[in-house]
PDB file of all heavy atoms in Angstrom:
ATOM      1  N   PHE Q   1    -160.355  80.307  25.060  1.00 91.00           N
ATOM      2  CA  PHE Q   1    -161.557  79.586  24.635  1.00 91.00           C
ATOM      3  C   PHE Q   1    -162.226  78.820  25.775  1.00 91.00           C
ATOM      4  O   PHE Q   1    -163.339  78.326  25.618  1.00 91.00           O
ATOM      5  CB  PHE Q   1    -161.219  78.630  23.481  1.00 91.00           C
ATOM      6  CG  PHE Q   1    -160.437  77.407  23.877  1.00 91.00           C
ATOM      7  CD1 PHE Q   1    -161.050  76.182  24.035  1.00 91.00           C
ATOM      8  CD2 PHE Q   1    -159.062  77.495  24.086  1.00 91.00           C
ATOM      9  CE1 PHE Q   1    -160.333  75.058  24.393  1.00 91.00           C
ATOM     10  CE2 PHE Q   1    -158.330  76.377  24.427  1.00 91.00           C
ATOM     11  CZ  PHE Q   1    -158.963  75.154  24.581  1.00 91.00           C
ATOM     12  N   LEU Q   2    -161.569  78.718  26.927  1.00 91.00           N
ATOM     13  CA  LEU Q   2    -162.137  78.011  28.071  1.00 91.00           C
ATOM     14  C   LEU Q   2    -162.582  78.959  29.182  1.00 91.00           C
ATOM     15  O   LEU Q   2    -163.030  78.486  30.232  1.00 91.00           O
ATOM     16  CB  LEU Q   2    -161.100  77.035  28.644  1.00 91.00           C
ATOM     17  CG  LEU Q   2    -160.747  75.821  27.778  1.00 91.00           C
ATOM     18  CD1 LEU Q   2    -159.599  75.052  28.407  1.00 91.00           C
ATOM     19  CD2 LEU Q   2    -161.948  74.929  27.589  1.00 91.00           C
ATOM     20  N   LEU Q   3    -162.501  80.252  28.967  1.00 91.00           N
ATOM     21  CA  LEU Q   3    -162.736  81.202  30.048  1.00 91.00           C
ATOM     22  C   LEU Q   3    -164.213  81.247  30.464  1.00 91.00           C
ATOM     23  O   LEU Q   3    -165.109  80.961  29.665  1.00 91.00           O
ATOM     24  CB  LEU Q   3    -162.294  82.596  29.616  1.00 91.00           C
ATOM     25  CG  LEU Q   3    -160.773  82.792  29.502  1.00 91.00           C
ATOM     26  CD1 LEU Q   3    -160.464  84.200  29.049  1.00 91.00           C
ATOM     27  CD2 LEU Q   3    -160.086  82.495  30.823  1.00 91.00           C
ATOM     28  N   PRO Q   4    -164.471  81.627  31.715  1.00 92.00           N
ATOM     29  CA  PRO Q   4    -165.862  81.737  32.195  1.00 92.00           C
ATOM     30  C   PRO Q   4    -166.558  82.936  31.575  1.00 92.00           C
ATOM     31  O   PRO Q   4    -165.911  83.862  31.077  1.00 92.00           O
ATOM     32  CB  PRO Q   4    -165.687  81.913  33.707  1.00 92.00           C
ATOM     33  CG  PRO Q   4    -164.337  82.525  33.868  1.00 92.00           C
ATOM     34  CD  PRO Q   4    -163.493  81.939  32.777  1.00 92.00           C
ATOM     35  N   PRO Q   5    -167.897  82.948  31.593  1.00 91.00           N
ATOM     36  CA  PRO Q   5    -168.628  84.123  31.081  1.00 91.00           C
ATOM     37  C   PRO Q   5    -168.435  85.325  31.990  1.00 91.00           C
ATOM     38  O   PRO Q   5    -168.108  85.178  33.178  1.00 91.00           O
ATOM     39  CB  PRO Q   5    -170.090  83.656  31.080  1.00 91.00           C
ATOM     40  CG  PRO Q   5    -170.146  82.574  32.103  1.00 91.00           C
ATOM     41  CD  PRO Q   5    -168.816  81.893  32.070  1.00 91.00           C
ATOM     42  N   ARG Q   6    -168.614  86.490  31.439  1.00 88.00           N
ATOM     43  CA  ARG Q   6    -168.504  87.714  32.232  1.00 88.00           C
ATOM     44  C   ARG Q   6    -169.719  87.857  33.147  1.00 88.00           C
ATOM     45  O   ARG Q   6    -170.837  87.491  32.771  1.00 88.00           O
ATOM     46  CB  ARG Q   6    -168.397  88.944  31.335  1.00 88.00           C
ATOM     47  CG  ARG Q   6    -167.115  88.993  30.533  1.00 88.00           C
ATOM     48  CD  ARG Q   6    -166.956  90.322  29.821  1.00 88.00           C
ATOM     49  NE  ARG Q   6    -165.712  90.338  29.066  1.00 88.00           N
ATOM     50  CZ  ARG Q   6    -164.527  90.666  29.569  1.00 88.00           C
ATOM     51  NH1 ARG Q   6    -164.446  91.015  30.850  1.00 88.00           N
ATOM     52  NH2 ARG Q   6    -163.444  90.660  28.834  1.00 88.00           N
ATOM     53  N   GLN Q   7    -169.474  88.385  34.326  1.00 84.00           N
ATOM     54  CA  GLN Q   7    -170.567  88.604  35.262  1.00 84.00           C
ATOM     55  C   GLN Q   7    -171.354  89.843  34.834  1.00 84.00           C
ATOM     56  O   GLN Q   7    -170.778  90.864  34.467  1.00 84.00           O
ATOM     57  CB  GLN Q   7    -170.021  88.795  36.676  1.00 84.00           C
ATOM     58  CG  GLN Q   7    -169.289  87.579  37.215  1.00 84.00           C
ATOM     59  CD  GLN Q   7    -168.764  87.798  38.609  1.00 84.00           C
ATOM     60  OE1 GLN Q   7    -169.388  88.476  39.410  1.00 84.00           O
ATOM     61  NE2 GLN Q   7    -167.606  87.230  38.906  1.00 84.00           N
ATOM     62  N   ARG Q   8    -172.648  89.729  34.864  1.00 79.00           N
ATOM     63  CA  ARG Q   8    -173.512  90.837  34.466  1.00 79.00           C
ATOM     64  C   ARG Q   8    -173.555  91.890  35.560  1.00 79.00           C
ATOM     65  O   ARG Q   8    -173.460  91.575  36.749  1.00 79.00           O
ATOM     66  CB  ARG Q   8    -174.934  90.340  34.192  1.00 79.00           C
ATOM     67  CG  ARG Q   8    -175.029  89.467  32.943  1.00 79.00           C
ATOM     68  CD  ARG Q   8    -176.415  88.877  32.828  1.00 79.00           C
ATOM     69  NE  ARG Q   8    -176.581  88.173  31.558  1.00 79.00           N
ATOM     70  CZ  ARG Q   8    -177.208  88.670  30.513  1.00 79.00           C
ATOM     71  NH1 ARG Q   8    -177.736  89.878  30.581  1.00 79.00           N
ATOM     72  NH2 ARG Q   8    -177.319  87.981  29.411  1.00 79.00           N
ATOM     73  N   THR Q   9    -173.729  93.135  35.132  1.00 73.00           N
ATOM     74  CA  THR Q   9    -173.883  94.214  36.105  1.00 73.00           C
ATOM     75  C   THR Q   9    -175.338  94.383  36.527  1.00 73.00           C
ATOM     76  O   THR Q   9    -175.613  94.892  37.608  1.00 73.00           O
ATOM     77  CB  THR Q   9    -173.372  95.534  35.517  1.00 73.00           C
ATOM     78  OG1 THR Q   9    -174.058  95.792  34.286  1.00 73.00           O
ATOM     79  CG2 THR Q   9    -171.871  95.447  35.238  1.00 73.00           C
ATOM     80  N   LYS Q  10    -176.280  93.972  35.653  1.00 72.00           N
ATOM     81  CA  LYS Q  10    -177.707  94.056  35.964  1.00 72.00           C
ATOM     82  C   LYS Q  10    -178.329  92.675  35.848  1.00 72.00           C
ATOM     83  O   LYS Q  10    -177.877  91.843  35.061  1.00 72.00           O
ATOM     84  CB  LYS Q  10    -178.423  95.030  35.016  1.00 72.00           C
ATOM     85  CG  LYS Q  10    -177.973  96.475  35.158  1.00 72.00           C
ATOM     86  CD  LYS Q  10    -178.737  97.372  34.197  1.00 72.00           C
ATOM     87  CE  LYS Q  10    -178.310  98.822  34.339  1.00 72.00           C
ATOM     88  NZ  LYS Q  10    -179.045  99.709  33.392  1.00 72.00           N
ATOM     89  N   ALA Q  11    -179.386  92.452  36.622  1.00 68.00           N
ATOM     90  CA  ALA Q  11    -180.114  91.172  36.587  1.00 68.00           C
ATOM     91  C   ALA Q  11    -179.147  89.995  36.727  1.00 68.00           C
ATOM     92  O   ALA Q  11    -179.260  88.992  36.037  1.00 68.00           O
ATOM     93  CB  ALA Q  11    -180.938  91.052  35.306  1.00 68.00           C
ATOM     94  N   ARG Q  12    -178.179  90.126  37.626  1.00 73.00           N
ATOM     95  CA  ARG Q  12    -177.122  89.117  37.742  1.00 73.00           C
ATOM     96  C   ARG Q  12    -177.667  87.765  38.160  1.00 73.00           C
ATOM     97  O   ARG Q  12    -177.237  86.725  37.656  1.00 73.00           O
ATOM     98  CB  ARG Q  12    -176.074  89.611  38.746  1.00 73.00           C
ATOM     99  CG  ARG Q  12    -174.908  88.679  38.936  1.00 73.00           C
ATOM    100  CD  ARG Q  12    -173.858  89.294  39.836  1.00 73.00           C
ATOM    101  NE  ARG Q  12    -173.291  90.502  39.247  1.00 73.00           N
ATOM    102  CZ  ARG Q  12    -172.395  91.274  39.868  1.00 73.00           C
ATOM    103  NH1 ARG Q  12    -171.994  90.975  41.086  1.00 73.00           N
ATOM    104  NH2 ARG Q  12    -171.911  92.339  39.277  1.00 73.00           N
ATOM    105  N   PHE Q  13    -178.632  87.770  39.085  1.00 75.00           N
ATOM    106  CA  PHE Q  13    -179.122  86.496  39.617  1.00 75.00           C
ATOM    107  C   PHE Q  13    -180.171  85.853  38.722  1.00 75.00           C
ATOM    108  O   PHE Q  13    -180.680  84.793  39.051  1.00 75.00           O
ATOM    109  CB  PHE Q  13    -179.662  86.698  41.034  1.00 75.00           C
ATOM    110  CG  PHE Q  13    -178.564  86.889  42.046  1.00 75.00           C
ATOM    111  CD1 PHE Q  13    -178.136  88.161  42.378  1.00 75.00           C
ATOM    112  CD2 PHE Q  13    -177.955  85.804  42.629  1.00 75.00           C
ATOM    113  CE1 PHE Q  13    -177.112  88.340  43.292  1.00 75.00           C
ATOM    114  CE2 PHE Q  13    -176.931  85.972  43.545  1.00 75.00           C
ATOM    115  CZ  PHE Q  13    -176.506  87.242  43.882  1.00 75.00           C
ATOM    116  N   MET Q  14    -180.500  86.493  37.597  1.00 77.00           N
ATOM    117  CA  MET Q  14    -181.344  85.840  36.608  1.00 77.00           C
ATOM    118  C   MET Q  14    -180.512  85.005  35.637  1.00 77.00           C
ATOM    119  O   MET Q  14    -181.056  84.290  34.810  1.00 77.00           O
ATOM    120  CB  MET Q  14    -182.165  86.873  35.836  1.00 77.00           C
ATOM    121  CG  MET Q  14    -183.193  87.592  36.683  1.00 77.00           C
ATOM    122  SD  MET Q  14    -184.267  88.660  35.725  1.00 77.00           S
ATOM    123  CE  MET Q  14    -185.226  87.461  34.808  1.00 77.00           C
ATOM    124  N   HIS Q  15    -179.179  85.095  35.749  1.00 82.00           N
ATOM    125  CA  HIS Q  15    -178.305  84.390  34.810  1.00 82.00           C
ATOM    126  C   HIS Q  15    -177.162  83.680  35.534  1.00 82.00           C
ATOM    127  O   HIS Q  15    -176.115  83.444  34.937  1.00 82.00           O
ATOM    128  CB  HIS Q  15    -177.732  85.381  33.788  1.00 82.00           C
ATOM    129  CG  HIS Q  15    -178.766  86.137  33.026  1.00 82.00           C
ATOM    130  ND1 HIS Q  15    -179.277  87.342  33.454  1.00 82.00           N
ATOM    131  CD2 HIS Q  15    -179.416  85.865  31.864  1.00 82.00           C
ATOM    132  CE1 HIS Q  15    -180.175  87.773  32.596  1.00 82.00           C
ATOM    133  NE2 HIS Q  15    -180.283  86.902  31.621  1.00 82.00           N
ATOM    134  N   VAL Q  16    -177.346  83.338  36.807  1.00 84.00           N
ATOM    135  CA  VAL Q  16    -176.272  82.662  37.536  1.00 84.00           C
ATOM    136  C   VAL Q  16    -176.035  81.259  37.008  1.00 84.00           C
ATOM    137  O   VAL Q  16    -174.955  80.694  37.202  1.00 84.00           O
ATOM    138  CB  VAL Q  16    -176.592  82.604  39.045  1.00 84.00           C
ATOM    139  CG1 VAL Q  16    -176.547  83.983  39.664  1.00 84.00           C
ATOM    140  CG2 VAL Q  16    -177.952  81.959  39.282  1.00 84.00           C
ATOM    141  N   ASP Q  17    -177.029  80.685  36.334  1.00 87.00           N
ATOM    142  CA  ASP Q  17    -176.849  79.321  35.834  1.00 87.00           C
ATOM    143  C   ASP Q  17    -175.760  79.245  34.771  1.00 87.00           C
ATOM    144  O   ASP Q  17    -175.193  78.169  34.540  1.00 87.00           O
ATOM    145  CB  ASP Q  17    -178.166  78.796  35.263  1.00 87.00           C
ATOM    146  CG  ASP Q  17    -178.708  79.685  34.153  1.00 87.00           C
ATOM    147  OD1 ASP Q  17    -178.716  80.915  34.345  1.00 87.00           O
ATOM    148  OD2 ASP Q  17    -179.117  79.154  33.120  1.00 87.00           O
ATOM    149  N   THR Q  18    -175.414  80.368  34.125  1.00 90.00           N
ATOM    150  CA  THR Q  18    -174.369  80.324  33.106  1.00 90.00           C
ATOM    151  C   THR Q  18    -173.012  79.992  33.718  1.00 90.00           C
ATOM    152  O   THR Q  18    -172.223  79.245  33.126  1.00 90.00           O
ATOM    153  CB  THR Q  18    -174.293  81.669  32.369  1.00 90.00           C
ATOM    154  OG1 THR Q  18    -174.051  82.722  33.324  1.00 90.00           O
ATOM    155  CG2 THR Q  18    -175.576  81.960  31.633  1.00 90.00           C
ATOM    156  N   HIS Q  19    -172.722  80.525  34.908  1.00 91.00           N
ATOM    157  CA  HIS Q  19    -171.453  80.226  35.569  1.00 91.00           C
ATOM    158  C   HIS Q  19    -171.414  78.779  36.064  1.00 91.00           C
ATOM    159  O   HIS Q  19    -170.380  78.108  35.964  1.00 91.00           O
ATOM    160  CB  HIS Q  19    -171.225  81.192  36.731  1.00 91.00           C
ATOM    161  CG  HIS Q  19    -170.745  82.542  36.303  1.00 91.00           C
ATOM    162  ND1 HIS Q  19    -171.579  83.502  35.792  1.00 91.00           N
ATOM    163  CD2 HIS Q  19    -169.495  83.080  36.287  1.00 91.00           C
ATOM    164  CE1 HIS Q  19    -170.872  84.581  35.501  1.00 91.00           C
ATOM    165  NE2 HIS Q  19    -169.610  84.344  35.788  1.00 91.00           N
ATOM    166  N   VAL Q  20    -172.533  78.302  36.585  1.00 92.00           N
ATOM    167  CA  VAL Q  20    -172.574  76.921  37.078  1.00 92.00           C
ATOM    168  C   VAL Q  20    -172.417  75.952  35.905  1.00 92.00           C
ATOM    169  O   VAL Q  20    -171.658  74.970  35.988  1.00 92.00           O
ATOM    170  CB  VAL Q  20    -173.893  76.665  37.837  1.00 92.00           C
ATOM    171  CG1 VAL Q  20    -174.003  75.206  38.254  1.00 92.00           C
ATOM    172  CG2 VAL Q  20    -173.979  77.569  39.060  1.00 92.00           C
ATOM    173  N   GLU Q  21    -173.123  76.210  34.836  1.00 93.00           N
ATOM    174  CA  GLU Q  21    -173.022  75.341  33.664  1.00 93.00           C
ATOM    175  C   GLU Q  21    -171.607  75.354  33.087  1.00 93.00           C
ATOM    176  O   GLU Q  21    -171.072  74.307  32.699  1.00 93.00           O
ATOM    177  CB  GLU Q  21    -174.027  75.800  32.605  1.00 93.00           C
ATOM    178  CG  GLU Q  21    -174.068  74.917  31.374  1.00 93.00           C
ATOM    179  CD  GLU Q  21    -175.094  75.386  30.361  1.00 93.00           C
ATOM    180  OE1 GLU Q  21    -175.798  76.376  30.651  1.00 93.00           O
ATOM    181  OE2 GLU Q  21    -175.190  74.779  29.288  1.00 93.00           O
ATOM    182  N   TRP Q  22    -170.984  76.545  33.056  1.00 93.00           N
ATOM    183  CA  TRP Q  22    -169.609  76.620  32.557  1.00 93.00           C
ATOM    184  C   TRP Q  22    -168.665  75.789  33.419  1.00 93.00           C
ATOM    185  O   TRP Q  22    -167.828  75.029  32.892  1.00 93.00           O
ATOM    186  CB  TRP Q  22    -169.145  78.078  32.552  1.00 93.00           C
ATOM    187  CG  TRP Q  22    -167.654  78.198  32.391  1.00 93.00           C
ATOM    188  CD1 TRP Q  22    -166.950  78.153  31.229  1.00 93.00           C
ATOM    189  CD2 TRP Q  22    -166.690  78.333  33.447  1.00 93.00           C
ATOM    190  NE1 TRP Q  22    -165.606  78.256  31.491  1.00 93.00           N
ATOM    191  CE2 TRP Q  22    -165.421  78.369  32.833  1.00 93.00           C
ATOM    192  CE3 TRP Q  22    -166.781  78.430  34.833  1.00 93.00           C
ATOM    193  CZ2 TRP Q  22    -164.244  78.503  33.568  1.00 93.00           C
ATOM    194  CZ3 TRP Q  22    -165.613  78.562  35.574  1.00 93.00           C
ATOM    195  CH2 TRP Q  22    -164.364  78.595  34.955  1.00 93.00           C
ATOM    196  N   ALA Q  23    -168.774  75.916  34.742  1.00 93.00           N
ATOM    197  CA  ALA Q  23    -167.866  75.193  35.634  1.00 93.00           C
ATOM    198  C   ALA Q  23    -168.051  73.683  35.508  1.00 93.00           C
ATOM    199  O   ALA Q  23    -167.067  72.925  35.522  1.00 93.00           O
ATOM    200  CB  ALA Q  23    -168.089  75.639  37.076  1.00 93.00           C
ATOM    201  N   GLN Q  24    -169.278  73.234  35.380  1.00 93.00           N
ATOM    202  CA  GLN Q  24    -169.505  71.789  35.228  1.00 93.00           C
ATOM    203  C   GLN Q  24    -168.946  71.279  33.894  1.00 93.00           C
ATOM    204  O   GLN Q  24    -168.369  70.189  33.839  1.00 93.00           O
ATOM    205  CB  GLN Q  24    -170.993  71.493  35.339  1.00 93.00           C
ATOM    206  CG  GLN Q  24    -171.526  71.645  36.762  1.00 93.00           C
ATOM    207  CD  GLN Q  24    -172.898  71.038  36.914  1.00 93.00           C
ATOM    208  OE1 GLN Q  24    -173.788  71.344  36.136  1.00 93.00           O
ATOM    209  NE2 GLN Q  24    -173.080  70.197  37.915  1.00 93.00           N
ATOM    210  N   ASN Q  25    -169.110  72.041  32.833  1.00 94.00           N
ATOM    211  CA  ASN Q  25    -168.523  71.649  31.553  1.00 94.00           C
ATOM    212  C   ASN Q  25    -166.999  71.628  31.627  1.00 94.00           C
ATOM    213  O   ASN Q  25    -166.348  70.759  31.028  1.00 94.00           O
ATOM    214  CB  ASN Q  25    -168.970  72.614  30.450  1.00 94.00           C
ATOM    215  CG  ASN Q  25    -170.430  72.444  30.086  1.00 94.00           C
ATOM    216  OD1 ASN Q  25    -171.001  71.368  30.256  1.00 94.00           O
ATOM    217  ND2 ASN Q  25    -171.053  73.497  29.592  1.00 94.00           N
ATOM    218  N   LEU Q  26    -166.423  72.567  32.369  1.00 93.00           N
ATOM    219  CA  LEU Q  26    -164.977  72.611  32.512  1.00 93.00           C
ATOM    220  C   LEU Q  26    -164.463  71.375  33.250  1.00 93.00           C
ATOM    221  O   LEU Q  26    -163.463  70.759  32.852  1.00 93.00           O
ATOM    222  CB  LEU Q  26    -164.576  73.882  33.255  1.00 93.00           C
ATOM    223  CG  LEU Q  26    -163.077  74.152  33.344  1.00 93.00           C
ATOM    224  CD1 LEU Q  26    -162.572  74.693  32.011  1.00 93.00           C
ATOM    225  CD2 LEU Q  26    -162.770  75.134  34.469  1.00 93.00           C
TER     226      LEU Q  26
END
């Protein structure tokens, strides 16, 4: 339940904020 989101294979840099937001919440 605490794992990071999966990295996208397409349009990866349009959704990099999901990893940053996850790490800050963690």
